[in-house]
Amino acid sequence: MKRIPVSGPSITEKEIAYVTDAVTNCWYENANLYHERFERAFAAYIGTKHAIALPSCTSALHLSLLAYGVGKGDEVIVPDCTWIATAAPVSYVGADLVLADMDPHTWCISAESFAACITKRTKAVIPVDLYGNMPDMDAIRSIADRHGIKVIEDSAEAIGARYRGKPAGSFGDVGVFSFHGSKTITTYEGGMLVTNDSVLHQRALFLRDHGRKPNDRYFFNAEVAQKYKMSSMQAALGLAQIERIEEIVARKREIFAWYREALAGVAGVTINAEAPETRNTFWMVTVILDPRFGLRKERLMDLMAEAQVDCRPFFYPLSLLPAYAGTKIAKLATSRNLVSHRLSPYGINLPSGLNLTKELVVYVVDALKRILALHPKA
Ligand SMILES: *Cc1c(COP(=O)(O)O)cnc(C)c1O
């Protein structure tokens, strides 16, 4: 039997047609055609005034911090459990990282922990819509507003998610998305920055093109800055994907529903939550085991791999990574972020690719059940 991959996209004739059209026709005066169409369609979907297509979500985060002038002496609050891409740009701009704990239900940043992390130096918070779910955005927004803190919403994993009817990515002063091949919609590599802040938008356009004004015909750079652009072929692929977004999100939710049904009645297993006011898009279907099984995520991944099922570990707390080992940030976070450090060791992401069938989901869950049966709870 073939290995079941952990993630993967849905590509149809539409994507192939758009990319082919881009390669064939998008030169000379048409070089930016697909960028404009992709950005317009994306902004319309999120409901923001502006969208800027970028080479990655990492660059979108970097650009957001640069454009808000975050730098040396400033602090930026990030959830402890996330992909390192959320945090690395804080170091790129020379600011200090502060790691907040997660909420035990949403697995996203806890509003109380965020509030407790605020100091006079806090400039921004980067809440993450983890695995397609949403944090308590009302609480985060009101705490941030009270302290004059910018909210940069990392929606890399949550295109299509909603909180009280509003789309993921529209809660921050800036929202950022990823189109990496593993994400819900893809351009192979790619990202998007969305915002209603027209000043921020202009500043980001300037910084992402080597510090020159849009439409500057003289190549007359005013500042040393970044070069962050997406290719026409990627923009064409992205346009086709965003035009299919509701179909793709419906598919993600269907895959999750198959898992929920197959896992019903399996004791000691917690799966992704969906609060009543939230639409979760289940980027990664995730299970967290009761620690009494005595099965940590690394061992569980190995056992699943023996059954030809590829899984990923629940994000390690950043404070546990060698990348931050020995830092003051990591020591403080390790003693403070008890929920992150309690849940993360027992979580894995199950295959969540858009090519899954109900039969494959049942196979994955049967493999998990067999493993659990061999590890009775202590
Ligand atoms: C994937 C991801 C990113 C980074 O996206 P890239 O496009 O690979 O740069 C950032 N934040 C989170 C939460 C992610 O999952």
Side-chain angles (χ1 to χ4, degrees), residues 55-59 61 82-86 128-130 154-157 177-180 182-183 189-191 283 312 315:
S56 65
C57 183
T58 305
S59 57
L61 286 159
T82 180
W83 177 227
I84 195 169
T86 312
V128 178
D129 305 331
L130 203 78
D154 184 345
S155 302
E157 305 176 357
F177 292 88
S178 172
F179 312 124
H180 178 260
S182 66
K183 299 287 161 58
E189 294 280 357
W283 171 56
R312 294 170 40 145
F315 289 120

Short mmCIF file of all heavy atoms in Angstrom, two decimals, residues 55-59 61 82-86 128-130 154-157 177-180 182-183 189-191 283 312 315, ligand 1:
data_model
loop_
_atom_site.label_atom_id
_atom_site.label_comp_id
_atom_site.label_asym_id
_atom_site.label_seq_id
_atom_site.Cartn_x
_atom_site.Cartn_y
_atom_site.Cartn_z
N PRO A 55 6.23 36.58 -1.71
CA PRO A 55 6.85 35.27 -1.94
C PRO A 55 6.56 34.23 -0.86
O PRO A 55 6.73 33.04 -1.09
CB PRO A 55 8.35 35.56 -2.00
CG PRO A 55 8.54 36.94 -1.56
CD PRO A 55 7.23 37.65 -1.54
N SER A 56 6.13 34.67 0.32
CA SER A 56 5.84 33.73 1.41
C SER A 56 5.09 34.46 2.51
O SER A 56 5.05 35.70 2.53
CB SER A 56 7.14 33.15 1.99
OG SER A 56 7.89 34.19 2.60
N CYS A 57 4.57 33.69 3.45
CA CYS A 57 3.95 34.29 4.62
C CYS A 57 5.03 34.84 5.55
O CYS A 57 4.82 35.85 6.23
CB CYS A 57 3.09 33.26 5.34
SG CYS A 57 2.22 33.91 6.76
N THR A 58 6.18 34.18 5.57
CA THR A 58 7.29 34.67 6.38
C THR A 58 7.65 36.09 5.96
O THR A 58 7.84 36.98 6.81
CB THR A 58 8.52 33.74 6.23
OG1 THR A 58 8.14 32.40 6.54
CG2 THR A 58 9.66 34.17 7.13
N SER A 59 7.73 36.33 4.64
CA SER A 59 8.05 37.68 4.17
C SER A 59 6.92 38.66 4.48
O SER A 59 7.18 39.84 4.75
CB SER A 59 8.38 37.68 2.67
OG SER A 59 7.33 37.15 1.92
N LEU A 61 5.05 38.58 7.16
CA LEU A 61 5.22 38.92 8.58
C LEU A 61 6.38 39.90 8.75
O LEU A 61 6.27 40.89 9.49
CB LEU A 61 5.47 37.65 9.40
CG LEU A 61 4.23 36.76 9.61
CD1 LEU A 61 4.63 35.33 9.95
CD2 LEU A 61 3.36 37.34 10.72
N THR A 82 3.56 27.40 17.81
CA THR A 82 3.27 27.78 16.42
C THR A 82 4.47 27.39 15.60
O THR A 82 5.50 26.97 16.13
CB THR A 82 3.01 29.30 16.31
OG1 THR A 82 2.73 29.63 14.92
CG2 THR A 82 4.22 30.12 16.73
N TRP A 83 4.32 27.51 14.27
CA TRP A 83 5.46 27.30 13.39
C TRP A 83 6.44 28.46 13.61
O TRP A 83 6.01 29.60 13.82
CB TRP A 83 4.98 27.22 11.94
CG TRP A 83 6.08 27.08 10.91
CD1 TRP A 83 6.19 27.80 9.75
CD2 TRP A 83 7.18 26.17 10.92
NE1 TRP A 83 7.30 27.39 9.06
CE2 TRP A 83 7.94 26.40 9.76
CE3 TRP A 83 7.62 25.18 11.83
CZ2 TRP A 83 9.10 25.69 9.45
CZ3 TRP A 83 8.78 24.48 11.53
CH2 TRP A 83 9.49 24.73 10.35
N ILE A 84 7.73 28.18 13.54
CA ILE A 84 8.76 29.17 13.86
C ILE A 84 8.67 30.40 12.95
O ILE A 84 9.14 31.48 13.31
CB ILE A 84 10.17 28.53 13.80
CG1 ILE A 84 11.21 29.44 14.48
CG2 ILE A 84 10.55 28.18 12.36
CD1 ILE A 84 12.55 28.77 14.70
N ALA A 85 8.01 30.26 11.80
CA ALA A 85 7.86 31.39 10.87
C ALA A 85 7.12 32.56 11.51
O ALA A 85 7.31 33.71 11.12
CB ALA A 85 7.13 30.95 9.60
N THR A 86 6.25 32.29 12.49
CA THR A 86 5.55 33.38 13.19
C THR A 86 6.55 34.23 13.97
O THR A 86 6.39 35.46 14.05
CB THR A 86 4.51 32.81 14.18
OG1 THR A 86 3.72 31.82 13.52
CG2 THR A 86 3.61 33.90 14.73
N VAL A 128 -2.08 33.58 16.20
CA VAL A 128 -2.06 32.61 15.09
C VAL A 128 -3.38 31.85 15.07
O VAL A 128 -3.84 31.37 16.11
CB VAL A 128 -0.88 31.62 15.27
CG1 VAL A 128 -0.88 30.59 14.14
CG2 VAL A 128 0.44 32.37 15.32
N ASP A 129 -3.99 31.76 13.89
CA ASP A 129 -5.22 30.99 13.73
C ASP A 129 -4.81 29.53 13.52
O ASP A 129 -4.79 29.02 12.40
CB ASP A 129 -6.04 31.53 12.55
CG ASP A 129 -6.33 33.02 12.70
OD1 ASP A 129 -6.41 33.50 13.85
OD2 ASP A 129 -6.46 33.71 11.66
N LEU A 130 -4.46 28.87 14.64
CA LEU A 130 -3.74 27.60 14.57
C LEU A 130 -4.57 26.45 14.02
O LEU A 130 -5.68 26.21 14.47
CB LEU A 130 -3.21 27.22 15.97
CG LEU A 130 -2.02 26.25 15.96
CD1 LEU A 130 -0.72 26.98 15.61
CD2 LEU A 130 -1.90 25.53 17.29
N ASP A 154 -1.73 36.13 12.11
CA ASP A 154 -1.10 35.09 11.29
C ASP A 154 -2.16 34.04 10.93
O ASP A 154 -2.45 33.13 11.69
CB ASP A 154 0.07 34.45 12.06
CG ASP A 154 0.82 33.43 11.23
OD1 ASP A 154 0.30 33.00 10.18
OD2 ASP A 154 1.94 33.04 11.64
N SER A 155 -2.72 34.23 9.71
CA SER A 155 -3.77 33.33 9.23
C SER A 155 -3.23 32.35 8.20
O SER A 155 -3.98 31.84 7.35
CB SER A 155 -4.91 34.15 8.61
OG SER A 155 -5.43 35.06 9.55
N ALA A 156 -1.93 32.06 8.31
CA ALA A 156 -1.27 31.16 7.35
C ALA A 156 -2.03 29.85 7.18
O ALA A 156 -2.08 29.28 6.10
CB ALA A 156 0.16 30.88 7.81
N GLU A 157 -2.62 29.38 8.29
CA GLU A 157 -3.24 28.05 8.28
C GLU A 157 -4.76 28.11 8.22
O GLU A 157 -5.42 27.09 8.36
CB GLU A 157 -2.81 27.30 9.56
CG GLU A 157 -1.30 27.24 9.73
CD GLU A 157 -0.86 26.60 11.04
OE1 GLU A 157 -1.72 26.26 11.87
OE2 GLU A 157 0.37 26.45 11.22
N PHE A 177 -1.16 35.50 5.13
CA PHE A 177 -1.53 34.14 4.70
C PHE A 177 -0.34 33.45 4.04
O PHE A 177 0.54 34.12 3.48
CB PHE A 177 -2.68 34.21 3.68
CG PHE A 177 -3.97 34.68 4.28
CD1 PHE A 177 -4.26 36.04 4.36
CD2 PHE A 177 -4.89 33.76 4.78
CE1 PHE A 177 -5.46 36.48 4.92
CE2 PHE A 177 -6.09 34.20 5.34
CZ PHE A 177 -6.37 35.56 5.40
N SER A 178 -0.37 32.12 4.05
CA SER A 178 0.66 31.33 3.37
C SER A 178 0.02 30.47 2.29
O SER A 178 -1.05 29.90 2.49
CB SER A 178 1.37 30.41 4.36
OG SER A 178 2.23 29.52 3.66
N PHE A 179 0.74 30.37 1.16
CA PHE A 179 0.32 29.46 0.08
C PHE A 179 1.39 28.42 -0.17
O PHE A 179 1.59 27.95 -1.29
CB PHE A 179 0.02 30.25 -1.20
CG PHE A 179 -0.87 31.44 -0.98
CD1 PHE A 179 -0.47 32.71 -1.37
CD2 PHE A 179 -2.11 31.30 -0.36
CE1 PHE A 179 -1.27 33.82 -1.16
CE2 PHE A 179 -2.93 32.42 -0.14
CZ PHE A 179 -2.51 33.67 -0.54
N HIS A 180 2.10 28.06 0.89
CA HIS A 180 3.06 26.96 0.82
C HIS A 180 2.29 25.69 0.40
O HIS A 180 1.09 25.57 0.65
CB HIS A 180 3.70 26.77 2.21
CG HIS A 180 4.65 25.62 2.25
ND1 HIS A 180 4.30 24.39 2.78
CD2 HIS A 180 5.92 25.52 1.81
CE1 HIS A 180 5.34 23.57 2.66
NE2 HIS A 180 6.33 24.23 2.08
N SER A 182 1.85 22.89 1.50
CA SER A 182 1.13 22.12 2.52
C SER A 182 -0.15 22.82 2.97
O SER A 182 -0.97 22.22 3.68
CB SER A 182 2.03 21.92 3.74
OG SER A 182 2.28 23.17 4.35
N LYS A 183 -0.34 24.05 2.58
CA LYS A 183 -1.45 24.84 3.13
C LYS A 183 -2.75 24.59 2.36
O LYS A 183 -2.75 23.96 1.31
CB LYS A 183 -1.09 26.32 3.15
CG LYS A 183 0.15 26.62 4.04
CD LYS A 183 -0.15 26.53 5.53
CE LYS A 183 1.04 26.35 6.44
NZ LYS A 183 2.08 27.35 6.43
N GLU A 189 4.97 28.11 -3.34
CA GLU A 189 5.45 28.98 -2.27
C GLU A 189 4.74 30.30 -2.50
O GLU A 189 4.60 30.73 -3.65
CB GLU A 189 6.96 29.21 -2.35
CG GLU A 189 7.82 27.98 -2.11
CD GLU A 189 7.99 27.62 -0.64
OE1 GLU A 189 7.48 28.35 0.23
OE2 GLU A 189 8.65 26.59 -0.37
N GLY A 190 4.34 30.98 -1.44
CA GLY A 190 3.70 32.26 -1.65
C GLY A 190 3.03 32.75 -0.38
O GLY A 190 2.84 31.97 0.57
N GLY A 191 2.69 34.03 -0.38
CA GLY A 191 2.01 34.60 0.77
C GLY A 191 1.21 35.82 0.37
O GLY A 191 1.30 36.29 -0.77
N TRP A 283 -7.24 22.90 8.93
CA TRP A 283 -6.08 22.74 8.04
C TRP A 283 -5.40 21.41 8.33
O TRP A 283 -5.09 20.64 7.42
CB TRP A 283 -5.08 23.90 8.23
CG TRP A 283 -3.80 23.65 7.51
CD1 TRP A 283 -3.67 23.38 6.16
CD2 TRP A 283 -2.48 23.60 8.06
NE1 TRP A 283 -2.34 23.18 5.87
CE2 TRP A 283 -1.60 23.30 7.00
CE3 TRP A 283 -1.95 23.77 9.34
CZ2 TRP A 283 -0.21 23.19 7.18
CZ3 TRP A 283 -0.58 23.67 9.53
CH2 TRP A 283 0.26 23.38 8.45
N ARG A 312 2.47 14.50 11.47
CA ARG A 312 3.40 15.54 11.94
C ARG A 312 3.20 15.71 13.43
O ARG A 312 2.10 15.47 13.93
CB ARG A 312 3.08 16.90 11.27
CG ARG A 312 3.33 16.95 9.79
CD ARG A 312 2.77 18.22 9.16
NE ARG A 312 2.97 19.42 9.97
CZ ARG A 312 3.22 20.63 9.47
NH1 ARG A 312 3.28 20.81 8.16
NH2 ARG A 312 3.35 21.67 10.26
N PHE A 315 2.97 21.24 16.99
CA PHE A 315 4.11 22.16 17.10
C PHE A 315 4.73 22.06 18.49
O PHE A 315 4.01 22.13 19.49
CB PHE A 315 3.68 23.60 16.85
CG PHE A 315 3.33 23.88 15.42
CD1 PHE A 315 2.06 24.33 15.07
CD2 PHE A 315 4.27 23.72 14.41
CE1 PHE A 315 1.73 24.59 13.74
CE2 PHE A 315 3.95 23.98 13.08
CZ PHE A 315 2.69 24.41 12.75
C1 LIG B 1 3.21 28.00 7.15
C2 LIG B 1 3.18 29.02 8.21
C3 LIG B 1 3.87 30.24 8.11
C4 LIG B 1 4.87 30.53 7.05
O1 LIG B 1 4.43 30.40 5.76
P1 LIG B 1 5.49 30.43 4.56
O2 LIG B 1 4.64 30.77 3.39
O3 LIG B 1 6.08 29.06 4.51
O4 LIG B 1 6.51 31.47 4.84
C5 LIG B 1 3.70 31.19 9.11
N1 LIG B 1 2.92 30.96 10.16
C6 LIG B 1 2.27 29.79 10.32
C7 LIG B 1 1.39 29.63 11.51
C8 LIG B 1 2.39 28.78 9.36
O5 LIG B 1 1.76 27.61 9.53
#
